[in-house]
Amino acid sequence: MKKVNIGEYTLEIPLIQGGMGVGVSLGNLAGHVAKCGGMGMISTAQIGFKEPDFQTNVKQANQRAIFKEIKKAKEIASGHGMVGVNIMVALRDYKEHVKAAIQAGADCIISGAGLPLGLPGLIGQAKTKIAPIVSSGKACRLILRSWDRKFQKTADFIVIEGVKAGGHLGFKKADVLSHHAQSLLEILADVKKEVMTYQTKYQKHIPIFVAGGIFTHEEIINAIQAGADGVQMGTRFIGTKECDASEAYKEAFVNCCQDDIVIVDSPVGLPGRAMNNAFVKKGHHPIKRCFACISSCHMTNAPYCITEALINAVNGDLDHGLIFTGVNGYRINKIVSVKELISELMGE
């Protein structure tokens, strides 16, 4: 278990807590992970859902919440680890979220659910570190080549999300269901080849973190021995006392069985991994209003409102909500503190 250097920052443990929206990973969870020496991530997806004017003033509510949650996480972290934000490219207000995160003092931005080709331009001269989420060597090549040519910049680190990850997946649904998608370590080997050119050109090491299906200390060791600098884990941190989701949401994982986890079609246009609860089984749900959150989602043909579904779930209204999970969500059998979980993961 080696430390990971990202620019002027040092992660004492090679661990990123994955960003989970809506409201599953906010300032409390991210702050406690950073306090333990890791990278705590806040998801900006409809982050302002608790603001009193969210229903009528979505953009401004989200902007305020980005500042509030980063401040909260930084105060908890007390100068340890890194506090970052996960911002989906698919968000209609992507640029605004990036700018708010920079102004709020986020240490880094991790960006996926699309190709963050313009991210370096939005960062400008800010010290905020940037990392794309990729699911293939090809995607990594496209992003790094674009960043290099257009902005003369490269990634500060990279996150690979494999087919076993939770939430939205960067794979075709048919490949996920037929188990024909590349394995996480196969993607890692391809990505390592792609970053070599840019490590040489920019004279710096570009750490690579792998995510999707990693649950134990032994699996972390295997990933590092295969060439990763560290791992990203999202679902595992839902089973913590500090997770920002409701207790009912957390208990859904404690009570979950392996057969309860399925692949669903998201209004975003990507396959997703979620629990097969009453909401998913029903399939279609009337949309009362559109929050205009995702550029690829349209009210006329969407099966449900993903904002409403995710907010219901995180608040504990599970029968009317979508519960995203990684492939190993069913293995969570108790709720522990972040400190206890990290100690277990690090083999202490």
Side-chain angles (χ1 to χ4, degrees):
M1 291 294 179
K2 296 180 180 180
K3 298 178 182 180
V4 182
N5 295 315
I6 300 174
E8 66 272 25
Y9 298 101
T10 298
L11 295 181
E12 296 294 324
I13 56 174
L15 176 67
I16 300 172
Q17 158 257 309
M20 297 172 284
V22 170
V24 180
S25 64
L26 297 175
N28 194 51
L29 176 57
H32 280 91
V33 172
K35 186 177 181 179
C36 291
M39 185 187 294
M41 297 299 299
I42 297 165
S43 169
T44 71
Q46 301 297 56
I47 190 173
F49 74 101
K50 293 182 180 179
E51 294 291 302
D53 60 342
F54 176 73
Q55 294 287 334
T56 57
N57 205 9
V58 177
K59 290 188 177 184
Q60 286 74 14
N62 285 334
Q63 291 277 318
R64 288 196 303 272
I66 288 172
F67 280 85
K68 286 182 180 180
E69 297 300 334
I70 290 176
K71 180 181 178 182
K72 180 194 295 184
K74 290 258 185 176
E75 288 175 349
I76 294 170
S78 303
H80 297 283
M82 293 176 69
V83 171
V85 291
N86 180 295
I87 308 178
M88 297 193 300
V89 179
L91 293 177
R92 290 185 191 273
D93 296 331
Y94 177 72
K95 294 180 180 179
E96 290 82 356
H97 284 213
V98 170
K99 292 177 181 178
I102 294 169
Q103 293 171 6
D107 296 328
C108 63
I109 293 172
I110 297 177
S111 199
L115 300 177
L117 300 180
L119 182 56
L122 298 174
I123 296 294
Q125 299 304 311
K127 295 181 180 180
T128 310
K129 307 306 177 187
I130 55 175
I133 296 175
V134 300
S135 295
S136 67
K138 181 180 179 180
C140 181
R141 183 191 319 130
L142 179 60
I143 294 168
L144 295 188
R145 181 185 296 170
S146 176
W147 287 8
D148 177 50
R149 289 179 176 177
K150 293 181 180 178
F151 307 105
Q152 295 75 55
K153 289 186 178 181
T154 195
D156 294 297
F157 60 101
I158 291 171
V159 177
I160 301 171
E161 283 193 2
V163 73
K164 295 182 179 180
H168 294 115
L169 304 174
F171 300 87
K172 295 179 180 178
K173 184 178 180 180
D175 290 338
V176 177
L177 294 175
S178 65
H179 306 290
H180 285 158
Q182 273 188 301
S183 72
L184 184 58
L185 297 186
E186 287 172 339
I187 301 170
L188 172 62
D190 289 345
V191 170
K192 284 180 71 68
K193 294 176 184 176
E194 297 298 336
V195 303
M196 289 177 63
T197 299
Y198 302 98
Q199 289 186 140
T200 301
K201 180 172 181 177
Y202 290 92
Q203 296 185 325
K204 69 175 186 178
H205 177 62
I206 302 175
I208 301 172
F209 295 80
V210 294
I214 297 171
F215 196 83
T216 65
H217 168 71
E218 290 73 21
E219 288 164 347
I220 294 174
I221 294 295
N222 289 341
I224 292 174
Q225 288 179 342
D229 293 271
V231 300
Q232 175 181 284
M233 304 174 76
T235 302
R236 191 84 208 263
F237 282 92
I238 295 173
T240 62
K241 297 173 183 177
E242 294 85 352
C243 175
D244 294 275
S246 66
E247 294 306 309
Y249 189 93
K250 299 175 190 180
E251 288 299 324
F253 285 81
V254 174
N255 299 322
C256 178
C257 298
Q258 186 173 8
D259 292 342
D260 295 331
I261 298 174
V262 296
I263 301 299
V264 301
D265 292 314
S266 165
V268 177
L270 296 169
R273 181 171 281 107
M275 288 190 193
N276 193 24
N277 61 354
F279 179 87
V280 170
K281 290 176 181 176
K282 186 176 179 181
H284 283 72
H285 303 264
I287 300 176
K288 300 173 184 177
R289 64 156 294 184
C290 179
F291 290 88
C293 58
I294 302 293
S295 56
S296 57
C297 179
H298 302 283
M299 187 174 178
T300 53
N301 57 13
Y304 52 84
C305 171
I306 194 163
T307 286
E308 183 180 9
L310 292 174
I311 290 175
N312 286 344
V314 78
N315 284 335
D317 185 4
L318 305 184
D319 286 342
H320 299 95
L322 180 65
I323 308 172
F324 278 141
T325 172
V327 72
N328 288 315
Y330 72 96
R331 295 172 67 180
I332 295 173
N333 54 24
K334 60 181 178 179
I335 308 299
V336 300
S337 71
V338 164
K339 187 175 181 180
E340 288 176 293
L341 175 56
I342 288 179
S343 293
E344 176 189 329
L345 295 173
M346 294 301 107
E348 298 172 1

